[in-house]
């Protein structure tokens, strides 16, 4: 397992807005400095629901990648790639489909939810049922330790772990596993004895700290190849070889980026500010926002709690400005347009560097393609290694 590796993805289904920025991408930009990050354009996933509107997908891909780069995702630090261009995603998805019970997929809460929500579409398809399994393949093909996701995606990570466990149970039990594991312990050298002791403490006394210490010992030992390390990870817990490690969800604090009408910002509510909205349009959109309906006239006092503009102040304003809004609104001391001005300025200020970063990519679209193709290549090298192991484990090593 690559504990420090992160895999995350986004579906290219239209232009990105500030909800994506505050909810996901800002977090990526921070993670890329500390982790080995793989950021994926989930185009197969887009097809599961948009199979009848494919034209929008390609356009969205390049726009979306420019938005990532504009936000500060750095191709020097993170790997940016397109899912369908790395064929091992589809290959692992198929392999995993052999061992995934239908009931597991039917029970994933997003399955019925999305079917109901997108009821104008026929989603009674094989591909849509497999959506979370494809996501599991995305994660497992990189053996990613961490997956940054929002609350709604947690069941998909749970499924990923269950599928990995089942796979390891089915295929990690090599006929001569014990012997291979014992030989691998010898390869650790001096610490091998300590490893055996920790293992015994864990297996006999259920000592969780011993388990953690043994895992650390494995991670730190230089003499082990991947295969032996995976054997010992399994041996430690009296299981077979861990071919596909169980990833953890890295929960991003639920960002409730409010839209222009006070609902969550979302394309389907038509209440968005896009990531590279011009300052004129930002100003126009925010000036047109509804406010506390009690403020019919300038002299009527209002209540920020009943006003969507206040929610934007909560995201963008410091304490001083917020005090100014509260006092001014409840006493009718300020007008609503006046109140909106600091928000307009803050959004424009936030977007300024995005425009600047986007400029060179807009001027030279080939630059974006090069970044993505390089990312695909790098991703494929990793994915290929995993598929080699998966094929061997499943008896397809010929
Ligand atoms: N399902 C995710 C979403 O709708 C997108 C996605 C696809 C993803 N594959 C992934 C996210 C792998 C994390 C990891 O947001
Ligand atoms: Fe909303 Fe500000 Fe107007 Fe109060 S003053 S109603 S918070 S826009």
């Amino acid at each position: 397992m690559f504990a420090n590796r992160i895999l995350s993805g986004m579906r290219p289904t239209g232009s990105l807005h500030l909800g994506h920025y505050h909810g996901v991408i800002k977090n990526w930009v921070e993670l890329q400095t500390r982790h080995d990050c793989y950021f994926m354009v989930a185009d197969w996933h887009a097809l599961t629901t948009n199979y009848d509107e494919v034209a929008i997908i390609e356009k969205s891909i390049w726009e979306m990648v420019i938005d990532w780069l504009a936000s500060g995702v750095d191709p020097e630090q993170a790997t940016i790639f397109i899912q369908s261009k790395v064929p091992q995603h589809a290959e692992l998805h198929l392999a995993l489909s052999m061992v995934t019970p239908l009931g597991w997929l039917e029970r994933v809460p997003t399955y019925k939810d999305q079917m109901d929500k997108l009821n104008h579409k026929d989603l009674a398809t094989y591909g849509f049922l497999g959506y979370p399994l494809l996501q599991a393949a995305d994660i497992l093909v990189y053996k990613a330790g961490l997956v940054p996701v929002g609350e709604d995606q947690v069941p998909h990570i749970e499924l990923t772990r269950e599928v990995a466990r089942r796979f390891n149970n089915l295929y990690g039990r090599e006929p001569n596993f014990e012997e291979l594991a014992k030989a691998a312990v010898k390869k650790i050298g001096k610490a091998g004895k300590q490893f055996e002791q920790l293992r015994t403490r864990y297996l006999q006394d259920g000592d969780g700290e011993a388990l953690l210490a043994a895992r650390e010992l494995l991670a730190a030992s230089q003499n082990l190849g991947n295969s032996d390390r995976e054997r010992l990870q399994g041996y430690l817990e009296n299981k077979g070889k861990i071919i596909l490690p169980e990833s953890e969800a890295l929960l991003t604090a639920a960002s409730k980026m409010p839209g222009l009408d006070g609902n969550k910002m979302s394309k389907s509510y038509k209440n968005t500010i896009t990531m590279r909205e011009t300052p004129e349009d930002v100003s126009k959109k925010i000036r047109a926002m509804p406010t506390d309906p009690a403020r019919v006239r300038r002299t009527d006092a209002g209540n920020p709690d009943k006003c969507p503009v206040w929610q934007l102040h909560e995201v963008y304003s410091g304490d001083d400005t917020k005090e100014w809004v509260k006092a001014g609104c409840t006493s009718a001391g300020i007008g609503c347009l006046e109140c909106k001005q600091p928000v307009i300025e803050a959004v424009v200020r936030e977007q300024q560097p995005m425009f600047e970063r986007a400029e060179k990519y807009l001027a030279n679209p080939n630059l974006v393609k090069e970044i993505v193709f390089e990312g695909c290549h790098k991703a494929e090298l990793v994915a290929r290694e995993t598929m080699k192991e998966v094929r061997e484990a499943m008896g397809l090593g010929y």
Side-chain angles (χ1 to χ4, degrees):
M1 147 133 87
F2 297 92
N4 191 39
R5 185 173 292 160
I6 280 186
L7 179 284
S8 197
M10 205 182 266
R11 293 150 22 102
T13 49
S15 63
L16 298 191
H17 51 68
L18 291 180
H20 296 108
Y21 177 68
H22 285 273
V24 183
I25 307 172
K26 211 167 71 176
N27 188 35
W28 287 6
V29 171
E30 204 194 295
L31 290 169
Q32 70 183 356
T33 61
R34 283 178 281 126
H35 296 271
D36 179 22
C37 286
Y38 287 73
F39 297 136
M40 171 184 81
V41 178
D43 57 345
W44 281 128
H45 276 110
L47 276 174
T48 61
T49 51
N50 286 48
Y51 58 85
D52 54 351
E53 320 166 68
V54 296
I56 186 173
I57 294 178
E58 177 168 14
K59 188 171 170 298
S60 304
I61 289 177
W62 304 117
E63 285 290 314
M64 183 165 92
V65 174
I66 291 176
D67 282 333
W68 292 358
L69 295 165
S71 309
V73 174
D74 176 5
E76 299 286 321
Q77 299 187 68
T79 305
I80 299 172
F81 70 98
I82 298 175
Q83 182 186 35
S84 77
K85 287 281 174 193
V86 179
Q88 287 78 8
H89 290 251
E91 195 181 356
L92 184 56
H93 178 213
L94 180 63
L96 296 177
S97 77
M98 306 302 167
V99 303
T100 306
L102 268 184
W104 290 11
L105 296 174
E106 287 160 347
R107 273 199 303 274
V108 173
T110 47
Y111 181 56
K112 293 240 157 53
D113 288 357
Q114 289 292 99
M115 281 237 228
D116 291 344
K117 206 164 144 212
L118 304 174
N119 61 6
H120 56 287
K121 284 208 172 154
D122 180 5
L123 290 181
T125 57
Y126 181 51
F128 187 67
L129 178 66
Y131 185 111
L133 189 63
L134 177 58
Q135 186 164 349
D138 297 336
I139 296 164
L140 296 174
V141 87
Y142 300 101
K143 302 188 181 185
L146 293 169
V147 188
V149 286
E151 196 80 58
D152 63 313
Q153 295 284 309
V154 169
H156 295 178
I157 310 305
E158 280 300 317
L159 178 85
T160 304
R161 294 158 60 81
E162 277 174 281
V163 170
R165 222 174 291 150
R166 184 168 165 92
F167 187 93
N168 295 328
N169 272 329
L170 280 165
Y171 303 116
R173 302 199 180 274
E174 301 153 292
N176 49 348
F177 179 72
E178 286 277 321
E179 267 166 63
L180 291 170
K182 293 228 163 75
V185 173
K186 293 225 172 72
K187 291 186 201 163
I188 312 180
K190 272 203 220 120
K193 196 150 181 205
Q194 194 192 347
F195 176 78
E196 287 286 12
Q197 284 165 354
L198 289 166
R199 175 173 182 261
T200 308
R201 265 169 58 198
Y202 171 64
L203 292 178
Q204 287 183 357
D205 316 330
D207 182 343
E209 276 176 25
L211 174 65
L212 293 181
R215 279 190 187 148
E216 272 171 31
L217 190 152
L218 281 185
S221 77
Q222 307 282 327
N223 300 339
L224 290 175
N226 264 347
S227 225
D228 274 334
R229 198 184 310 275
E230 285 157 5
R231 268 183 204 110
L232 291 185
Q233 279 161 354
Y235 175 69
L236 176 57
E237 298 176 58
N238 248 0
K239 295 188 209 154
K241 185 172 168 184
I242 308 286
I243 302 162
L244 300 175
E246 294 178 38
S247 323
E248 303 277 349
L250 183 63
L251 261 186
T252 28
S255 149
K256 288 180 223 100
M257 180 68 189
L260 292 165
D261 56 0
N263 292 311
K264 183 178 162 178
M265 190 177 281
S266 159
K267 194 174 67 161
S268 51
Y269 299 150
K270 299 192 175 17
N271 64 357
T272 64
I273 298 174
T274 63
M275 298 244 317
R276 284 173 282 124
E277 191 95 48
T278 63
E280 294 72 41
D281 286 346
V282 169
S283 176
K284 225 187 277 169
K285 282 186 170 179
I286 293 176
R287 287 170 75 94
M289 278 178 74
T291 60
D292 178 357
R295 294 205 74 181
V296 182
R297 283 174 294 267
R298 166 70 177 77
T299 48
D300 296 329
N303 176 356
D305 291 334
K306 297 188 176 150
C307 176
V309 178
W310 170 248
Q311 297 186 39
L312 288 179
H313 276 293
E314 295 262 43
V315 175
Y316 285 102
S317 299
D319 290 343
D320 288 356
T321 308
K322 284 197 276 192
E323 280 309 314
W324 170 77
V325 172
K326 271 195 214 154
C329 181
T330 51
S331 66
I334 58 172
C336 288
L337 286 178
E338 208 178 326
C339 176
K340 289 170 172 179
Q341 196 53 34
V343 175
I344 295 173
E345 283 164 20
V347 173
V348 169
R349 208 177 313 125
E350 175 173 73
Q351 292 190 322
Q352 177 69 25
M354 301 195 194
F355 276 108
E356 285 167 12
R357 287 196 209 97
E359 221 167 279
K360 74 173 172 190
Y361 300 113
L362 292 167
N364 185 0
N366 274 334
L367 207 53
V368 183
K369 296 204 165 154
E370 274 165 32
I371 288 170
V372 170
F373 287 134
E374 207 172 292
C376 291
H377 177 68
K378 193 174 154 215
E380 184 167 350
L381 291 180
V382 176
R384 232 189 256 159
E385 285 300 309
T386 306
M387 268 323 290
K388 205 168 121 213
E389 282 183 73
V390 166
R391 280 177 157 273
E392 267 164 24
M394 294 182 91
L396 305 170
Y398 34 81

